[in-house]
Amino acid sequence: MPGSPLSRVRVVTAALALPLLLTTVAACSAAGGDPAADAGPPRPGGTLRLGISSNPDCIDPQQFGTNAALNVGRQLVDSLTDQDPKTGEIKPWLAQKWEVSADSTAFTFHLRDGATFSDGTPVDAAAVKANFDGIKALGAKAQLASGYLAAYKASTVVDPHTVRVEFSAPSAQFLQASSTMSLGLLAPSAYKKTPDQRCQGDGLIGSGPFVFQSFRQNQEIVLAKRKGYAWGSSLFRHQGEAYLDKVNYKIVPEPGVRTGSLASGQLDAITDVQPVDEPQFAGNGFTEPVRPNPGVVFNLHANTTRGVLTDEKVRQAVVKGINRQEVTSTVLTGNYKPATSILGSATPLHADLSAQLAYDPSGASALLEGDGWKPGPDGIRAKDGQRLTAAVQFSPVFNQNRSVLELVQQQLRKIGFELRIDQRTTAETVQAQQSGDYEYLWYNVTRADPDILRGIFSTKASNRSKLPAGNPLDAALDDQASTVDSGKRKPAAELAQKLIVEHGYTAPVFELTQVLAVGTTAHSVDFEASSRLQLFDTWVSGS
């Protein structure tokens, strides 16, 4: 805060340590693997032809939150900080160091010299202020960033290389948020364009290692190397310009066409390899970099004010009645992990609740029986004339969603619970979520910080469980948001996860995993901490 005495400030000159070892599971090669594993040395030049699974309606990373959009936007914008995907540590990027006030309401960043946007203007404190003010003005259009700046109050230019960002409530999460592409910086001139124009690349001017070249809807997006780039993240493997001359994102929604194009050499790499297609790229000169998504796992999220889900015993029985290992081994592959918490294992401060999430159909049946739910003629239980049933709304944003839910439906039927599957469009599920018109929601949310739980469960935020204010979960979520000290934050984050599972506010099922397939000509196709693509160190051979 302005005028805060130095004694109330924690100085961070290199990194914020979070107690986590992020592991990368790989079929053939590690995500962001050892550079020595690639045939090298790396060489500059050439074009990466990358097949992606969906058309990004908007490529402005400050607005849209889909993987298709962020896998493009990450290459165009730099961030104040970066996050180590292996340790969760926050590292220098455009900011060389930072200070955080004792109450986590003020963050002061000291910017490096020499960084510029691709229109030649400097990356200075005034530009940072213009960005955060501009993102806040976007409101709901900033799908992810609006949550990161929910309590944003103001940015103050201390001097050309120092900016102080202030919040009206403790916001420890902001330090990690400052590493995301959703808070990646655009040139102040970008805000002279409308949000819709920026979505299509018009005025999308960043300081990143690539610049926007063209966007043909439902066909391709082309980025070109930024000449003279020399301010990469401290986590990048090399400094200077990117190796690639161009990145050509080919939009190929059909999985079979994507895999066929890679196999035939028309593409160098593809995203979103489906479980059924994984075996053909396990060997034969191909590699399969994979990484589990941090954040909220795919789960059945209960509206505790609707139907049978008002009964906590019912919600607890559903948690026990799901065989998560069967889901991953039957419908998915070994690259996918059964959920061990509401947070994925790649999330800083993840709590291992495997014991609480163990498959226990006998325990589930005992809970229901003791609560007065008796089996009917068709095996589905009932109580006081009410059938033990609830609908789950989902959209097919992940190809295997319906297959997973159909298996979960079969598993829950064995304990006498009827899960009705209700497929909606993405827009319809978002509308239902906002209106509260649902029993169960099926979704996941990616973020490499446990504060994602506060945005979803807190009664001061979206409160998807429809909990009453002042509940114990609220207190735990507020506590973990109040400090960047991981030693103090960890117990509160773990308690929040435990309460969510104990009360059956959700039934976590599995961790989403990003599975790529990379041909023999592409090397070092990497993931950043949020399991999106980082292509600065990527190179192609034979160019």
Side-chain angles (χ1 to χ4, degrees), residues 34-71:
D34 182 350
D38 282 326
R43 63 188 72 172
T47 298
L48 177 72
R49 301 165 301 168
L50 177 65
I52 61 176
S53 63
S54 62
N55 181 70
D57 296 323
C58 176
I59 59 172
D60 179 0
Q62 294 182 354
Q63 293 187 59
F64 266 51
T66 64
N67 278 350
L70 296 178
N71 282 338

Side-chain angles (χ1 to χ4, degrees), residues 71-424:
N71 282 338
V72 176
R74 174 74 287 174
Q75 322 318 319
L76 299 172
V77 298
D78 296 326
S79 300
L80 288 173
T81 64
D82 204 357
Q83 185 174 20
D84 191 324
K86 294 187 173 115
T87 66
E89 288 181 276
I90 305 301
K91 297 283 193 176
W93 194 344
L94 290 174
Q96 295 178 308
K97 61 180 180 178
W98 48 87
E99 296 98 47
V100 182
S101 66
D103 61 359
S104 298
T105 61
F107 300 75
T108 303
F109 295 94
H110 303 271
L111 306 178
R112 65 190 298 166
D113 290 326
T116 62
F117 296 104
S118 59
D119 64 359
T121 56
V123 180
D124 58 13
V128 175
K129 173 178 170 56
N131 272 263
F132 292 152
D133 289 349
I135 293 170
K136 188 67 175 177
L138 283 170
K141 284 182 179 291
Q143 293 181 353
L144 299 179
S146 61
Y148 303 162
L149 296 180
Y152 176 73
K153 186 163 66 173
S155 292
T156 302
V157 175
V158 178
D159 62 47
H161 289 94
T162 310
V163 60
R164 183 171 60 248
V165 185
E166 296 176 83
F167 294 82
S168 59
S171 298
Q173 57 82 29
F174 176 68
L175 193 54
Q176 186 275 335
S178 72
S179 74
T180 67
M181 61 286 286
S182 298
L183 295 186
L185 302 184
L186 297 174
S189 62
Y191 297 100
K192 296 177 182 178
K193 300 290 186 177
T194 67
D196 288 344
Q197 286 175 315
R198 294 203 305 273
C199 273
Q200 304 310 310
D202 184 9
L204 197 59
I205 300 166
S207 66
F210 293 91
V211 296
F212 173 79
Q213 184 166 309
S214 63
F215 184 6
R216 289 193 294 160
Q217 287 285 344
N218 298 302
Q219 295 184 60
E220 69 174 8
I221 302 161
V222 180
L223 308 183
K225 179 190 297 189
R226 167 81 189 276
K227 300 295 185 181
Y229 182 83
W231 42 86
S233 162
S234 58
L235 291 172
F236 290 172
R237 295 180 191 164
H238 79 282
Q239 292 299 304
E241 298 177 356
Y243 291 129
L244 296 169
D245 284 339
K246 289 187 178 181
V247 181
N248 190 336
Y249 297 84
K250 296 289 188 180
I251 300 163
V252 188
E254 174 54 48
V257 176
R258 251 186 351 269
T259 57
S261 297
L262 177 61
S264 65
Q266 297 175 68
L267 295 173
D268 301 302
I270 60 174
T271 66
D272 301 286
V273 178
Q274 299 302 306
V276 69
D277 294 321
E278 287 182 24
Q280 67 179 295
F281 298 117
N284 304 316
F286 296 96
T287 56
E288 281 185 346
V290 307
R291 190 174 191 274
N293 283 42
V296 174
V297 301
F298 268 112
N299 71 102
L300 293 170
H301 192 132
N303 180 340
T304 63
T305 67
R306 296 292 293 271
V308 301
L309 302 182
T310 61
D311 187 335
E312 182 167 288
K313 293 287 198 301
V314 168
R315 302 195 305 267
Q316 292 169 332
V318 169
V319 172
K320 292 177 177 291
I322 297 173
N323 187 336
R324 294 159 183 82
Q325 184 61 58
E326 184 182 37
V327 169
T328 56
S329 62
T330 303
V331 180
L332 303 171
T333 69
N335 283 329
Y336 294 80
K337 294 181 178 181
T340 55
S341 176
I342 182 59
L343 293 178
S345 57
T347 317
L349 309 184
H350 161 269
D352 187 350
L353 303 177
S354 302
Q356 292 90 322
L357 293 174
Y359 181 46
D360 183 12
S362 297
S365 295
L367 272 174
L368 294 172
E369 194 72 25
D371 199 33
W373 294 95
K374 304 297 182 183
D378 62 352
I380 300 302
R381 295 176 183 269
K383 176 181 176 181
D384 299 329
Q386 184 179 26
R387 188 173 172 85
L388 189 59
T389 179
V392 55
Q393 293 187 32
F394 84 102
S395 59
V397 291
F398 174 60
N399 190 262
Q400 302 299 312
N401 271 347
R402 176 168 282 279
S403 297
V404 167
L405 287 172
E406 287 174 348
L407 179 54
V408 170
Q409 182 185 55
Q410 294 171 24
Q411 293 172 349
L412 293 178
R413 190 172 186 88
K414 293 177 183 177
I415 66 168
F417 184 96
E418 179 186 49
L419 182 69
R420 308 187 317 276
I421 299 173
D422 183 7
Q423 181 171 330
R424 305 286 187 94

Side-chain angles (χ1 to χ4, degrees), residues 382-523:
K383 176 181 176 181
D384 299 329
Q386 184 179 26
R387 188 173 172 85
L388 189 59
T389 179
V392 55
Q393 293 187 32
F394 84 102
S395 59
V397 291
F398 174 60
N399 190 262
Q400 302 299 312
N401 271 347
R402 176 168 282 279
S403 297
V404 167
L405 287 172
E406 287 174 348
L407 179 54
V408 170
Q409 182 185 55
Q410 294 171 24
Q411 293 172 349
L412 293 178
R413 190 172 186 88
K414 293 177 183 177
I415 66 168
F417 184 96
E418 179 186 49
L419 182 69
R420 308 187 317 276
I421 299 173
D422 183 7
Q423 181 171 330
R424 305 286 187 94
T425 66
T426 300
E428 287 171 338
T429 56
V430 169
Q431 184 178 15
Q433 170 196 311
Q434 292 173 342
S435 67
D437 186 19
Y438 56 85
E439 293 175 304
Y440 272 126
L441 285 175
W442 175 258
Y443 69 93
N444 83 303
V445 184
T446 297
R447 187 179 180 190
D449 190 274
D451 195 67
I452 187 64
L453 297 177
R454 186 166 59 105
I456 293 172
F457 289 90
S458 172
T459 62
K460 304 167 191 173
S462 63
N463 191 15
R464 292 186 189 177
S465 298
K466 306 305 175 189
L467 303 176
N471 66 81
L473 178 57
D474 265 356
L477 293 171
D478 286 347
D479 285 348
Q480 66 79 37
S482 67
T483 177
V484 296
D485 184 328
S486 58
K488 295 178 180 177
R489 197 180 183 203
K490 181 181 174 69
E494 291 182 340
L495 175 59
Q497 294 168 71
K498 183 180 177 184
L499 290 171
I500 288 166
V501 171
E502 272 186 356
H503 293 287
Y505 298 147
T506 77
V509 179
F510 76 94
E511 299 185 18
L512 179 64
T513 295
Q514 298 304 311
V515 182
L516 311 178
V518 179
T520 56
T521 57
H523 311 276

